[in-house]
Amino acid sequence: MNRTVVRSLAAAAAIAATAVALPSASATGTPASGSVAVTASNTFLTAALQSGIAAVPLPTATGSYDRTTGATATFPVTGGNAVLARFYGTVTLGGGIAFADALTGKIVCFHQVTLSGSTQEISAVPDGGTTPVNLFAFGDDTVGSATGATPQTLTGEADIPADGAAYLNQALHTAFFTAGQAVGSLSASYTPAS
């Protein structure tokens, strides 16, 4: 065996031994935390229900209703690499959401929920599919925390993006959803893993 090969093998062995000896970040650190909440206003809820449309959060997301603000679906943060103030990365969320149309009898369920730092949209993958659909977007009035703030936050109005409206209309056999449709409000609070 020549010296170059022996040195390469020795270096690889040293790197492997070091990697095994180092503790993992998840074993000693704090996991990512926070949540993203979508609140549908009473105005949106009334119009949706009159059209036979309902949405329900799926575990581990939770739902609540306040007669003043409307219905809220809250998705827990499970990970991510986002820097929201710099429009970078993604935040991964737990749970899912189901949309149903009582008039057509159609239901579509979504999981693998994420918040994109770059587009400020919440997307999810329809069950049985592989391509994410943008379901909600932060509107023009969005306010975020400063770079370096902990937790990182975003708050603003919630709109339905054009691609999300088209997908939901096709899946539910409805014409209820429209591009830029005002839903209510969105809020995100995200603390990266450390």
Side-chain angles (χ1 to χ4, degrees):
M1 216 182 263
N2 69 34
R3 287 185 182 168
T4 304
V5 172
V6 171
R7 286 184 193 145
S8 296
L9 289 174
I15 290 169
T18 302
V20 170
L22 291 174
S24 70
S26 62
T28 59
T30 306
S33 62
S35 63
V36 173
V38 181
T39 299
S41 69
N42 286 317
T43 301
F44 178 84
L45 286 174
T46 300
L49 292 173
Q50 288 173 344
S51 296
I53 304 294
V56 178
L58 302 172
T60 54
T62 58
S64 62
Y65 178 75
D66 179 284
R67 66 181 178 192
T68 304
T69 57
T72 300
T74 303
F75 302 89
V77 168
T78 60
N81 65 349
V83 181
L84 298 178
R86 293 191 177 159
F87 302 95
Y88 170 82
T90 59
V91 178
T92 55
L93 305 170
I97 190 166
F99 290 86
D101 188 329
L103 303 180
T104 65
K106 300 294 181 183
I107 299 173
V108 60
C109 298
F110 296 87
H111 287 89
Q112 300 176 50
V113 186
T114 61
L115 167 61
S116 169
S118 60
T119 64
Q120 297 186 341
E121 292 179 318
I122 296 173
S123 65
V125 177
D127 290 359
T130 57
T131 304
V133 176
N134 295 316
L135 297 174
F136 304 102
F138 280 90
D140 292 337
D141 67 340
T142 300
V143 176
S145 56
T147 302
T150 303
Q152 300 176 39
T153 61
L154 288 175
T155 57
E157 66 183 34
D159 299 327
I160 297 182
D163 55 338
Y167 186 92
L168 290 169
N169 283 336
Q170 185 274 329
L172 299 176
H173 297 185
T174 184
F176 172 74
F177 298 97
T178 59
Q181 187 172 27
V183 173
S185 62
L186 272 170
S187 64
S189 176
Y190 164 66
T191 301
S194 59

